[in-house]
């Protein structure tokens, strides 16, 4: 993905740049994104984003609901199965087709298929405003934590639907003079949810008294959120290096063999397969590139493989040399610094897991 000039219609330039990325395909007609599709790498990025989104707000139990059930049916299941008490949350993924989404004041997206991720938190009305304020700050920090440019993210001015007394804010990202809406937070009074909750009540506090909760609902379109991460990386990354955060990166590590000896190459490939298995056992996605090494023109092959790993946002690369077979020492290269450190094979995968999840 080519770097983008930081003046003029930045969002349009970034969307144009995405056409050459490894994560999405799209057409841009005037100010409308059409034929938007995630590549297999892009789908892995979306899945990682979804997992992080569903980790929930700190200190609040979050249960997984079903989009095939009504809200009341999900609540009844949670109450009967887990004996829930306030506060608690319910996460649901709704799939949709044929929807137009407003990205910014000037740009929209036509989505053939998409997913709406929602976390609904059921809160004691006495503390719901405090929870809403805390949640919007946490959501802004969540986006900043995974960003190349944390300063682009902000909370919009609050709005209120006077008829139903629903308060809402958006988490947005600035790209030049335009603002991309990434997700929405709403504080909904319990009586405004009466029909959907059908009189649902839950225990609150130590008294065990049952009350009708308010709802703080956080929602994002998974495809728009994924596009937002890619746009942030496109504006901030250098050419041929997509600096997606290590926790979101589709692959956490790539393995590259470095030798011009065909016999040694086969032994290094065996080592690469072993390391791939070891790393996957701790649930880290790893890309074994050892079969792309030909045993000739080693430096050119290495450069090509590292460029490929950088272009799909892989944060770390393990470089296996002939000496690795004798002393067990490997080179761990960082995508962001291009600096390599020496580690021993016995330190994998725990060292890699530590730096990925930190």
């Amino acid at each position: 993905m080519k770097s983008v000039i930081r003046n003029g219609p930045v969002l349009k330039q970034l969307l144009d740049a995405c056409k050459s990325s490894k994560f999405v395909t799209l057409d841009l007609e005037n100010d409308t994104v059409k034929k938007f599709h995630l590549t297999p790498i892009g789908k892995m990025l979306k899945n990682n984003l979804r997992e992080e989104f569903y980790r929930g707000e700190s200190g609040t139990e979050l249960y997984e609901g079903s989009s095939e059930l009504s809200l009341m049916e999900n609540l009844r299941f949670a109450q009967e199965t887990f004996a829930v008490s306030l506060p608690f949350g319910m996460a649901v993924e709704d799939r949709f087709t044929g929807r137009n989404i407003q990205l910014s004041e000037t740009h929209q997206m036509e989505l053939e298929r998409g997913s709406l991720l929602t976390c609904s938190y059921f809160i004691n009305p006495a503390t719901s405003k405090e929870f809403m304020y805390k949640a919007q700050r946490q959501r802004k920090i969540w986006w900043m934590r995974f960003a190349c440019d944390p300063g682009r993210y902000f909370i919009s001015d609050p709005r209120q639907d006077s008829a139903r007394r629903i308060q809402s804010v958006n988490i947005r990202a600035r790209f030049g003079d335009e603002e991309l809406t990434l997700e929405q937070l709403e504080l909904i009074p319990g009586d405004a949810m009466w029909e959907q909750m059908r009189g649902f009540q839950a225990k609150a506090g130590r008294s065990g008294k049952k009350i009708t909760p308010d709802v703080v609902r956080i929602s994002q379109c998974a495809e728009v959120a994924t596009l937002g991460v890619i746009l942030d990386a496109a504006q901030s990354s250098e050419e041929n290096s997509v600096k997606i955060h290590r926790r979101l990166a589709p692959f956490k590590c790539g393995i590259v063999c470095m030798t011009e000896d065909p016999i040694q190459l086969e032994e290094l490939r065996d080592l690469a397969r072993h390391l791939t298995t070891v790393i996957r056992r701790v649930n880290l996605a790893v890309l074994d590139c050892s079969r792309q090494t030909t045993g000739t023109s080693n430096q050119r092959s290495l450069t090509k493989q590292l460029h490929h790993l950088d272009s799909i946002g892989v944060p770390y690369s393990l470089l296996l040399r002939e000496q690795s077979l004798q002393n067990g020492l490997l080179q761990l290269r960082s995508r962001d610094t291009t600096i390599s450190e020496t580690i021993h094979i016995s330190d994998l995968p725990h060292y890699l897991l530590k730096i990925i999840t930190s």
Side-chain angles (χ1 to χ4, degrees):
M1 194 188 317
K2 295 181 178 180
S3 56
V4 176
I5 300 174
R6 297 170 185 253
N7 54 32
V10 173
L11 184 56
K12 185 177 179 62
Q13 293 181 44
L14 289 170
L15 289 169
D16 275 329
C18 283
K19 295 178 182 179
S20 60
S21 83
K22 301 290 181 67
F23 299 89
V24 300
T25 61
L26 60 86
D27 289 340
L28 187 59
E29 297 183 12
N30 297 322
D31 295 324
T32 301
V33 177
K34 297 185 177 182
K35 298 181 180 179
F36 178 88
H37 295 286
L38 293 169
T39 67
I41 294 290
K43 289 178 181 178
M44 293 176 68
L45 173 60
K46 185 186 81 167
N47 290 339
N48 290 345
L49 262 171
R50 177 172 49 199
E51 289 182 11
E52 293 293 336
F53 179 77
Y54 281 155
R55 291 186 188 278
E57 300 305 310
S58 176
T60 305
E61 292 288 345
L62 185 66
Y63 304 96
E64 185 175 353
S66 170
S67 61
E68 297 179 358
L69 301 177
S70 67
L71 176 60
M72 183 59 222
E73 289 171 324
N74 277 316
L75 289 173
R76 185 181 295 118
F77 176 82
Q79 195 168 50
E80 293 174 352
T81 307
F82 305 107
V84 295
S85 60
L86 304 180
F88 72 93
M90 182 72 66
V92 176
E93 178 178 2
D94 283 304
R95 301 184 187 277
F96 60 82
T97 58
R99 184 176 297 185
N100 286 356
I101 297 177
Q102 196 69 35
L103 296 176
S104 67
E105 288 188 2
T106 60
H107 286 78
Q108 63 178 348
M109 176 190 287
E110 295 180 0
L111 268 181
E112 297 176 8
R113 295 181 181 84
S115 299
L116 181 67
L117 309 180
T118 302
C119 289
S120 298
Y121 292 92
F122 300 88
I123 313 296
N124 188 327
T127 59
S128 59
K129 289 185 179 179
E130 178 184 351
F131 188 94
M132 173 68 168
Y133 178 72
K134 179 182 177 181
Q136 64 191 37
R137 287 178 57 84
Q138 287 181 333
R139 294 309 301 165
K140 175 189 171 185
I141 293 170
W142 184 90
W143 280 100
M144 295 172 67
R145 183 188 307 133
F146 296 126
C148 294
D149 181 1
R152 75 168 77 252
Y153 298 92
F154 67 101
I155 303 169
S156 70
D157 293 334
R159 295 177 298 174
Q160 181 160 342
D161 176 352
S162 57
R164 301 179 66 196
R165 309 190 317 282
I166 299 175
Q167 301 175 33
S168 65
V169 297
N170 294 327
I171 306 298
R172 294 177 178 168
R174 292 188 181 92
F175 294 98
D177 295 330
E178 298 189 67
E179 300 172 359
L180 180 70
T181 299
L182 298 169
E183 66 183 46
Q184 183 181 57
L185 293 87
E186 299 172 288
L187 171 56
I188 310 171
D191 55 6
M193 295 284 290
W194 184 261
E195 287 190 14
Q196 292 176 278
M197 295 197 298
R198 296 187 181 276
F200 171 80
Q201 292 186 323
K203 294 179 181 180
R206 296 179 180 177
S207 67
K209 180 181 178 181
K210 288 189 174 183
I211 61 174
T212 300
D214 287 350
V215 179
V216 173
R217 185 163 59 200
I218 306 172
S219 56
Q220 65 172 226
C221 173
E223 285 70 25
V224 172
T226 304
L227 177 61
V229 171
I230 296 169
L231 293 175
D232 172 62
Q235 187 172 18
S236 305
S237 300
E238 299 174 359
E239 191 168 357
N240 292 324
S241 179
V242 181
K243 295 186 177 180
I244 291 174
H245 192 277
R246 58 190 178 276
R247 289 178 69 101
L248 300 180
F251 292 102
K252 312 305 182 187
C253 177
I255 301 180
V256 178
C257 296
M258 301 172 59
T259 182
E260 296 183 9
D261 184 333
I263 297 177
Q264 294 284 350
L265 178 57
E266 286 305 313
E267 294 188 26
L268 286 176
R269 284 173 174 168
D270 289 339
L271 177 59
R273 283 192 291 270
H274 169 70
L275 293 177
T276 298
T277 301
V278 168
I279 294 171
R280 286 175 178 168
R281 282 176 182 165
V282 294
N283 295 320
L284 292 179
V286 57
L287 184 61
D288 182 0
C289 301
S290 61
R291 288 291 163 186
Q292 299 177 20
T293 305
T294 63
T296 58
S297 303
N298 188 44
Q299 187 59 45
R300 185 166 63 249
S301 175
L302 172 64
T303 301
K304 182 178 179 181
Q305 291 177 71
L306 291 179
H307 279 178
H308 172 66
L309 292 173
D310 290 347
S311 71
I312 58 175
V314 181
Y316 297 101
S317 302
L318 277 174
L319 310 183
L320 311 185
R321 293 182 168 86
E322 295 176 14
Q323 296 90 330
S324 303
L325 299 169
Q326 282 77 45
N327 56 25
L329 295 179
L330 318 171
Q331 296 294 311
L332 183 64
R333 173 189 179 269
S334 167
R335 171 202 63 200
D336 297 339
T337 65
T338 69
I339 296 174
S340 298
E341 59 177 310
T342 302
I343 63 172
H344 194 270
I345 189 173
S346 62
D347 293 328
L348 286 173
H350 302 292
Y351 180 73
L352 188 61
L353 183 64
K354 180 179 178 180
I355 61 176
I356 291 292
T357 57
S358 63

